[in-house]
Amino acid sequence: MGGKVKRSTIKYKKKIGKEKLRAKLTGGGARKKGGGRYGSGGGSRKGGKVEREELAQEEKGRKAMGVDEFLDQDFEESEGGEGDSESLSDLSSLSSLSDDSEVDVSDGEGEASPMVLGFAKNNPRTAFKSEEQLHESVREDANKVKNTLLKNLEKETRTHKEALEALKEKDPEFYKYLQESESNLLEFGPDEDAGPEDSDSDSSEEYEDRGEAKRLGKDRKKIILIDDGAITTWCTAALTKGSLGAVKNVLKAYRVGCHYGDDDDETNQISVRLSDSNVFNQLMLFVLKNVDTIFRRLLQIESGQKETEKAMQSKKWTKVEPLVKSYLGNTLHLVSNVTEPGLAAYVYQRLRASVDLFTKFPVLSKKLLKLALKSFGSDIGNVKVDKTARIQSVLLVRSLALSQDTLLDESYRGLYRTYQSAAKFASQQNISSIRFMQDCLVEVFCMKPDSMYKHVFNFVKEVALFVRNSLIYKTQEHYYRVYSWEVICSLDLLESLISKHGSGEKDVLQPMLYPLVQVMMMTVTLVPSSRYLPLRFHVLKSILRLSKKTSVFIPLSSLIIDALNFSELSKKPQGVGNHFNFMGTLKVPKDVLKTTSFQEQWVSQTVLLLAEHCSQWSHHIAFPELFLPLGIKVKGYMKSDSLAKKFKAQLAQFLEAGQIAAESMLQKRQVATFSPKDAQKIELFINEDMKKGASPMDKFYQATLKQVMKQDKMSSSSDVLLAGDRMRVSNKLANAKDVPEYSGAILDKEKRKRSKAPRDSRLEGTEEVHNDEDRVEDFEMSDSESEE
């Protein structure tokens, strides 16, 4: 209750004060006692309201007084009564109001009549001064502000001079350079010759103009051009004397060179510029070539990783660390914008020399690793990049992985993902670059065999999941996911890694041999389509290489010979066609699949893979058991009508070579004195047989390989200029009988004449061959002279 009474009292006092102020301003005198709400002089509440309405109507007719009219009044000669004197005395209390303030003179119910009072802030005497006195007061205030700003400027100038004196003592070489080349930068400050009259005569407008000019001049930084002489002086002092100040100056200029060509927003903040391109070349070559030597001289490092670690823990490292960080950061900016492979290779090579100094900068080291990986997987198919930037970038990744254990796993994963990304776009033009990248990955992964097992395990598991999903869901999308260059190249890489570090029983990758072989064999049989014959041959060759390098027998004869089961071989070919290049191709077009040329290559590749597989084990003591089921299957193909005569001739030659090799091994086994359980004696027997020379199957494989390579070379297309027009000439064989192996010329003619049964008639059809039980006696591989 008491709080409400107190607030109502305050409102009443405010209202009374407003009415009193209004009465004084309008000249109506003070309010009479008893005329209020609680007065004793009579008059009801209604009378007071009528009085306020009359006053409000009177003020509506009165014109609001402006500032000029108010200042023009003569306040000293007052002719009014007591009310005027009181109003004049009370005006002094309004002088504390700020400029453009408004005073509400309404009675609370009528309309407000604002009056703008143009009094000077916190200066009540200003309202009673003349116009000249007012201008003089303003001028004095402006001079005071000016003097204060000049004092601040002198203080800043004095502080800057002291900083330059400190620079002179700390880096005398740079200060001397400033005196010689940019002496005007050292001469600044207010004009000492200007007198006090000149300084006092400036008006406020002139001072504002000077302030604006000063602000604009501050935004425009003075640019220092570094010429050839300065670069030569700094480089000589840094290399010969080991001056820390010279090294700092060189790296400052090197930063400018690395950021050359950036946007203006960045270059505006640089106060140092290189004068011309010659200075740029001189500086960049000097830093990239000699900065590692300079750093090691400052740290007193001779050689070895241990000395580098000790130097990084000494007090000298605190001074050299900012320089190394500046060099690494600016070089990263440089190499990220380099497009020339040769220049990028040189930068990577020089960074690799200082890679042990970057161990204290893990963030910058990761950025360097990402740039090297990006360069390693860029521009696939360019031979120039393979010999320059690609090989230097992978060597840099290897050095980073060796110097920092934290980057080892990231380097392995990054190289594998980069290789996969590049393999997605494999083709006949860039397959050489893909294989080069594969060899590089094998070398990098093998630097620490113990740490790569988990990565190889994850890679094999990833491919196995792709194959399993395709077997479960059996959708076109999952099939395409497996039958892609990304997966095929991954299998090739894994085969190379396991072949190198999985051949022995104690090798780290030996447990991954069986899972990889299972994945590769499932990949071959995933889609039994003749259009994917190139993919089948590619994976089978990888398995054969794995079997040969690890000396592990892998049963591949059935997978190889199943390539002859497709129906296209039993149908009549549609056209001759051109030579088909299996390299860089996974799928055959439908129109090419039914041509004579492709079917010849088809059978030749199948026989070649069979010969290679049998040649690997032709010296083994169990070769007769290996060849027996394969020979029976080959005889079945020769008796059927699904193959043409010329294809049966190739199989007959393979069968003859295998039978001769098996009979030879059976004769050697008969004179053996050890049992099958003596593993050491069996291994000794195999080694002795290999030393005796090539087996009949080895000879057949070498002859078939030469014949296939010769046919590929003859059948390759070439561009010939004839009569001014370019014609595409295909050097394919028009007739299959022209090939020596199809006509039986691969067999020795002299031995054939001595044989009772004519050899030519047996190769012409299948009836004669069947009567003789597919045995070809007196087999001998032809040499180059007989082939001609």
Side-chain angles (χ1 to χ4, degrees):
M1 185 68 181
K4 294 182 178 180
V5 173
K6 187 176 180 180
R7 285 194 293 271
S8 61
T9 306
I10 293 173
K11 290 182 179 180
Y12 174 72
K13 289 183 178 181
K14 288 183 178 180
K15 185 175 182 181
I16 294 299
K18 288 183 179 181
E19 293 179 356
K20 184 177 180 180
L21 178 61
R22 176 187 54 77
K24 290 181 179 182
L25 291 175
T26 55
R31 183 171 181 176
K32 295 180 181 180
K33 296 182 179 181
R37 181 177 182 181
Y38 303 101
S40 59
S44 63
R45 182 176 179 181
K46 182 177 180 182
K49 184 176 181 180
V50 172
E51 182 180 356
R52 287 194 295 272
E53 291 178 355
E54 292 177 356
L55 290 174
Q57 291 178 0
E58 182 180 355
E59 288 182 2
K60 286 182 181 180
R62 185 183 299 273
K63 184 179 180 182
M65 184 180 296
V67 177
D68 296 335
E69 297 177 0
F70 182 79
L71 293 176
D72 292 339
Q73 295 185 45
D74 190 4
F75 294 102
E76 296 179 357
E77 299 178 0
S78 178
E79 297 179 356
E82 295 178 356
D84 295 337
S85 61
E86 291 180 1
S87 64
L88 180 62
S89 62
D90 291 335
L91 281 175
S92 61
S93 62
L94 301 176
S95 60
S96 60
L97 298 174
S98 60
D99 295 343
D100 300 336
S101 61
E102 297 182 359
V103 179
D104 189 5
V105 295
S106 65
D107 56 357
E109 297 182 2
E111 296 181 358
S113 177
M115 179 178 292
V116 181
L117 304 179
F119 299 138
K121 185 177 182 180
N122 297 328
N123 191 4
R125 296 188 300 271
T126 308
F128 308 103
K129 292 181 181 180
S130 62
E131 184 176 359
E132 295 179 358
Q133 290 176 345
L134 290 174
H135 287 298
E136 184 66 25
S137 176
V138 172
R139 190 179 297 107
E140 290 178 359
D141 294 340
N143 290 333
K144 288 180 181 181
V145 176
K146 175 184 176 182
N147 293 332
T148 303
L149 293 176
L150 287 176
K151 289 180 181 179
N152 294 336
L153 180 60
E154 292 177 359
K155 185 177 180 180
E156 293 178 0
T157 303
R158 194 182 309 109
T159 304
H160 198 62
K161 284 185 177 180
E162 293 175 357
L164 287 177
E165 293 297 332
L167 176 64
K168 182 178 180 181
E169 297 178 358
K170 187 176 181 180
D171 195 351
E173 296 180 359
F174 186 69
Y175 188 83
K176 183 179 179 181
Y177 169 75
L178 291 177
Q179 285 182 335
E180 294 176 357
S181 60
E182 302 290 341
S183 59
N184 55 347
L185 295 179
L186 304 177
E187 299 174 359
F188 58 91
D191 191 2
E192 298 179 355
D193 297 336
E197 296 180 358
D198 298 336
S199 61
D200 295 338
S201 61
D202 294 338
S203 62
S204 59
E205 296 180 356
E206 294 176 352
Y207 179 76
E208 291 177 358
D209 294 341
R210 289 186 179 183
E212 183 69 17
K214 178 183 176 183
R215 184 181 65 81
L216 293 175
K218 187 176 181 180
D219 293 340
R220 301 193 197 99
K221 270 198 171 185
K222 187 65 177 181
I223 298 175
I224 302 174
L225 293 178
I226 302 178
D227 56 1
D228 191 7
I231 291 296
T232 304
T233 304
W234 292 344
C235 293
T236 304
L239 185 60
T240 58
K241 300 179 182 179
S243 174
L244 189 62
V247 177
K248 291 181 180 179
N249 294 332
V250 170
L251 291 178
K252 288 179 182 178
Y254 178 70
R255 180 190 182 279
V256 177
C258 292
H259 289 265
Y260 179 78
D262 292 352
D263 296 336
D264 295 338
D265 295 340
E266 297 181 9
T267 56
N268 281 340
Q269 304 302 324
I270 301 175
S271 59
V272 181
R273 298 279 182 89
L274 302 178
S275 59
D276 53 15
S277 59
N278 295 329
V279 176
F280 173 81
N281 294 333
Q282 180 183 355
L283 174 65
M284 303 301 288
L285 289 176
F286 174 82
V287 173
L288 293 174
K289 185 178 180 180
N290 301 308
V291 73
D292 180 69
T293 305
I294 294 172
F295 288 154
R296 299 184 186 277
R297 186 176 298 174
L298 292 174
L299 296 173
Q300 296 181 357
I301 301 174
E302 294 181 359
S303 61
Q305 182 69 21
K306 295 182 179 180
E307 294 186 4
T308 305
E309 294 177 357
K310 291 181 180 179
M312 289 183 177
Q313 297 175 359
S314 62
K315 295 182 180 179
K316 296 179 181 179
W317 175 249
T318 57
K319 297 181 180 180
V320 182
E321 181 180 8
L323 303 179
V324 178
K325 186 176 182 180
S326 174
Y327 164 68
L328 176 58
N330 294 325
T331 308
L332 288 177
H333 183 80
L334 171 66
V335 76
S336 61
N337 298 316
V338 169
T339 57
E340 181 64 28
L343 179 58
Y346 183 74
V347 175
Y348 287 136
Q349 182 183 7
R350 299 313 306 161
L351 285 173
R352 184 161 52 91
S354 307
V355 73
D356 55 342
L357 299 176
F358 302 154
T359 56
K360 295 293 184 179
F361 314 107
V363 177
L364 294 178
S365 298
K366 287 185 179 180
K367 291 182 179 179
L368 178 60
L369 177 62
K370 291 181 180 179
L371 285 175
L373 292 174
K374 182 180 179 181
S375 179
F376 176 67
S378 61
D379 205 358
I380 302 298
N382 192 341
V383 180
K384 185 178 180 181
V385 177
D386 293 341
K387 297 179 180 179
T388 54
R390 203 180 316 282
I391 189 171
Q392 291 298 333
S393 60
V394 74
L395 289 176
L396 179 59
V397 172
R398 181 178 181 274
S399 300
L400 287 172
L402 288 174
S403 61
Q404 302 184 32
D405 294 336
T406 56
L407 298 178
L408 183 62
D409 295 339
E410 190 172 354
S411 300
Y412 283 161
R413 289 192 296 268
L415 286 173
Y416 183 73
R417 299 307 176 192
T418 305
Y419 172 73
Q420 278 189 324
S421 300
K424 290 180 181 179
F425 308 99
S427 61
Q428 297 179 358
Q429 289 74 24
N430 58 18
I431 193 65
S432 60
S433 296
I434 302 296
R435 292 179 177 176
F436 176 76
M437 293 177 67
Q438 176 182 333
D439 296 338
C440 293
L441 260 69
V442 172
E443 295 297 327
V444 175
F445 275 59
C446 295
M447 63 184 177
K448 290 186 178 181
D450 297 336
S451 60
M452 72 174 175
Y453 176 80
K454 60 179 180 180
H455 297 283
V456 175
F457 178 84
N458 291 330
F459 300 155
V460 175
K461 181 180 178 182
E462 181 182 0
V463 180
L465 289 176
F466 291 154
V467 178
R468 188 187 69 173
N469 292 334
S470 62
L471 292 174
I472 293 175
Y473 299 105
K474 297 181 180 180
T475 60
Q476 189 176 14
E477 181 180 359
H478 289 88
Y479 288 148
Y480 285 159
R481 186 69 181 86
V482 177
Y483 276 26
S484 62
W485 274 114
E486 181 181 357
V487 173
I488 301 303
C489 291
S490 298
L491 293 176
D492 288 344
L493 174 62
L494 295 172
E495 175 266 317
S496 300
L497 290 172
I498 296 176
S499 298
K500 192 169 185 179
H501 291 279
S503 57
E505 295 182 357
K506 297 182 179 180
D507 289 344
V508 63
L509 296 181
Q510 203 277 336
M512 300 305 302
L513 176 61
Y514 179 77
L516 179 63
V517 172
Q518 291 296 319
V519 171
M520 298 175 78
M521 295 178 72
M522 285 190 295
T523 303
V524 171
T525 59
L526 181 62
V527 180
S529 174
S530 58
R531 296 192 62 186
Y532 287 101
L533 281 172
L535 184 144
R536 174 186 289 262
F537 293 152
H538 188 90
V539 178
L540 288 174
K541 288 180 181 178
S542 298
I543 300 176
L544 287 173
R545 290 194 302 268
L546 184 62
S547 175
K548 182 178 181 180
K549 293 179 182 178
T550 58
S551 300
V552 176
F553 173 73
I554 302 175
L556 291 177
S557 56
S558 60
L559 291 178
I560 297 174
I561 203 169
D562 283 346
L564 303 177
N565 291 335
F566 296 108
S567 60
E568 284 79 6
L569 291 177
S570 60
K571 298 178 181 179
K572 185 177 180 181
Q574 298 178 1
V576 179
N578 296 326
H579 178 77
F580 185 80
N581 190 2
F582 284 91
M583 183 181 297
T585 307
L586 297 180
K587 192 175 182 180
V588 184
K590 291 183 179 180
D591 54 347
V592 177
L593 190 63
K594 299 178 181 180
T595 59
T596 304
S597 177
F598 178 77
Q599 290 183 1
E600 292 174 359
Q601 293 179 260
W602 180 349
V603 178
S604 298
Q605 289 289 334
T606 304
V607 174
L608 180 64
L609 292 177
L610 287 173
E612 183 179 359
H613 175 59
C614 294
S615 175
Q616 291 180 6
W617 305 101
S618 61
H619 296 278
H620 200 274
I621 195 171
F623 179 74
E625 288 76 14
L626 167 66
F627 187 77
L628 179 61
L630 181 60
I632 295 175
K633 202 166 187 177
V634 171
K635 288 180 181 180
Y637 281 105
M638 296 178 65
K639 293 177 182 180
S640 65
D641 297 333
S642 60
L643 293 178
K645 295 181 181 180
K646 54 184 178 182
F647 299 149
K648 292 180 180 180
Q650 291 180 310
L651 292 177
Q653 296 173 32
F654 167 73
L655 180 63
E656 183 179 5
Q659 289 176 348
I660 294 175
E663 290 177 359
S664 175
M665 184 58 63
L666 287 174
Q667 294 176 1
K668 294 177 184 178
R669 282 164 52 173
Q670 292 177 359
V671 296
T673 59
F674 53 88
S675 62
K677 66 179 181 179
D678 297 331
Q680 295 181 356
K681 292 183 179 180
I682 291 176
E683 185 176 358
L684 182 62
F685 174 83
I686 295 173
N687 293 333
E688 289 179 356
D689 187 70
M690 293 178 65
K691 292 179 180 178
K692 291 181 180 179
S695 65
M697 184 57 68
D698 292 338
K699 295 179 181 179
F700 177 78
Y701 168 67
Q702 294 296 332
T704 306
L705 180 61
K706 290 181 180 180
Q707 190 65 34
V708 170
M709 294 177 63
K710 182 178 179 181
Q711 183 181 0
D712 292 342
K713 187 177 181 180
M714 292 173 59
S715 302
S716 60
S717 301
S718 60
D719 291 336
V720 181
L721 287 175
L722 181 62
D725 297 331
R726 183 175 296 273
M727 295 180 60
R728 190 166 185 82
V729 180
S730 178
N731 294 325
K732 56 180 179 53
L733 297 174
N735 192 350
K737 294 182 180 180
D738 297 336
V739 181
E741 61 180 5
Y742 293 156
S743 61
I746 196 170
L747 303 177
D748 187 75
K749 296 181 180 180
E750 298 294 334
K751 298 279 181 87
R752 214 174 354 163
K753 292 179 180 179
R754 299 173 187 175
S755 179
K756 296 181 180 180
R759 188 62 50 89
D760 292 340
S761 60
R762 294 175 58 186
L763 295 178
E764 290 177 359
T766 58
E767 296 180 359
E768 294 81 2
V769 176
H770 296 165
N771 295 333
D772 200 23
E773 296 182 357
D774 301 331
R775 297 186 59 85
V776 181
E777 299 179 357
D778 299 332
F779 177 84
E780 183 177 349
M781 302 301 298
S782 62
D783 52 6
S784 59
E785 295 180 358
S786 62
E787 289 178 359
E788 294 177 358

